[in-house]
Amino acid sequence: DVKVTQSSRYLVKRTGEKVFLECVQDMDHENMFWYRQDPGLGLRLIYFSYDVKMKEKGDIPEGYSVSREKKERFSLILESASTNQTSMYLCASNTGIVTEAFFGQGTRLTVV
Amino acid sequence: RKEVEQDPGPFNVPEGATVAFNCTYSNSASQSFFWYRQDCRKEPKLLMSVYSSGNEDGRFTAQLNRASQYISLLIRDSKLSDSATYLCVVKGAGNNRKLIWGLGTSLAVNP
């Protein structure tokens, strides 16, 4: 079974903190994605990567950065957390161009 | 116009009912289509891919209408466990690896 693991289920951080969300997949997938999901707004793509050290902006990259130093790991960084970044963050991975995306269990981040 | 549009519902149906969801997409060059299911506070999981010829998996049937640019999901003999949000997903055209997600349709199956 494909496993996508996010480092935390719940996180509470203070405004202005630097926040790292980690995602690891064990199926050698080349594509990895970070989304946030908010009520009424659905899944919105923040960044994605289709190879090590490669990254592309999604629809809402402002306030975020990413790192992909190893194929299995894709990190999302909130440089200076703000309250409007309180959300559910979902990591996903897949392979090729037309395949199923597998998701991690999500990290519910609250910024206070 | 949104790239992928779904009726948000909620759809409230009794057990045993048949329910259908539609989803429209704006890019006629889109190539791949999926239905995902998301339970409350859980991650989305693939329910089924949607093929040009239509496909069926048990009580679930998916159809694609390229001319009208919509896909559909039919659930027959609804179970309580079918209560979830159903997400329509469209892959971008060509080599675009991005998935475009609808906002989801909420289904509640009642005893």
Side-chain angles (χ1 to χ4, degrees):
Chain A
D1 267 0
V2 174
K3 193 145 187 186
V4 181
T5 304
Q6 294 183 227
S7 50
S8 306
R9 288 295 299 271
Y10 300 95
L11 269 181
V12 179
K13 296 292 181 180
R14 295 195 179 278
T15 301
E17 276 193 78
K18 191 168 186 175
V19 181
F20 294 85
L21 302 183
E22 305 284 345
C23 176
V24 178
Q25 50 91 5
D26 65 0
M27 281 301 291
D28 203 34
H29 286 168
E30 64 266 28
N31 305 322
M32 296 188 76
F33 307 84
W34 274 107
Y35 295 92
R36 64 178 282 179
Q37 187 173 32
D38 302 286
L41 297 177
L43 275 160
R44 293 182 291 168
L45 182 64
I46 304 171
Y47 269 96
F48 66 104
S49 167
Y50 52 85
D51 201 354
V52 176
K53 296 193 186 295
M54 301 293 288
K55 62 184 179 184
E56 287 200 26
K57 292 180 180 179
D59 302 314
I60 52 162
E62 296 79 19
Y64 303 94
S65 61
V66 290
S67 172
R68 189 144 181 225
E69 296 296 318
K70 293 185 178 181
K71 190 174 185 180
E72 66 270 20
R73 186 180 297 269
F74 192 35
S75 303
L76 180 69
I77 303 151
L78 286 65
E79 297 290 343
S80 176
S82 64
T83 54
N84 64 11
Q85 292 179 309
T86 291
S87 187
M88 168 69 91
Y89 289 88
L90 288 157
C91 173
S93 74
N94 69 359
T95 187
I97 295 176
V98 193
T99 63
E100 174 184 359
F102 294 88
F103 283 83
Q105 77 277 28
T107 297
R108 190 166 292 278
L109 173 67
T110 302
V111 183
V112 298
Chain B
R1 182 184 173 188
K2 288 182 183 165
E3 291 182 271
V4 176
E5 291 201 72
Q6 296 182 248
D7 180 346
F11 285 63
N12 284 285
V13 302
E15 270 187 289
T18 294
V19 61
F21 308 135
N22 281 339
C23 166
T24 58
Y25 61 94
S26 60
N27 187 344
S28 60
S30 299
Q31 296 177 340
S32 304
F33 310 89
F34 309 90
W35 283 104
Y36 277 69
R37 171 197 168 125
Q38 185 173 25
D39 294 304
C40 188
R41 296 187 172 272
K42 295 287 185 74
E43 72 274 22
K45 293 185 179 178
L46 181 69
L47 178 66
M48 56 199 307
S49 302
V50 186
Y51 303 122
S52 297
S53 54
N55 46 303
E56 190 173 307
D57 183 2
R59 298 181 293 108
F60 298 84
T61 300
Q63 297 278 355
L64 167 63
N65 185 318
R66 283 193 184 274
S68 300
Q69 293 180 215
Y70 77 83
I71 67 173
S72 64
L73 178 68
L74 182 77
I75 305 175
R76 289 180 299 277
D77 188 24
S78 299
K79 312 290 185 194
L80 296 177
S81 58
D82 293 335
S83 298
T85 297
Y86 292 84
L87 300 162
C88 171
V89 188
V90 176
K91 193 197 81 66
N95 290 328
N96 188 340
R97 298 178 191 229
K98 286 170 60 174
L99 296 172
I100 303 163
W101 296 77
L103 296 185
T105 297
S106 175
L107 171 66
V109 181
N110 305 305

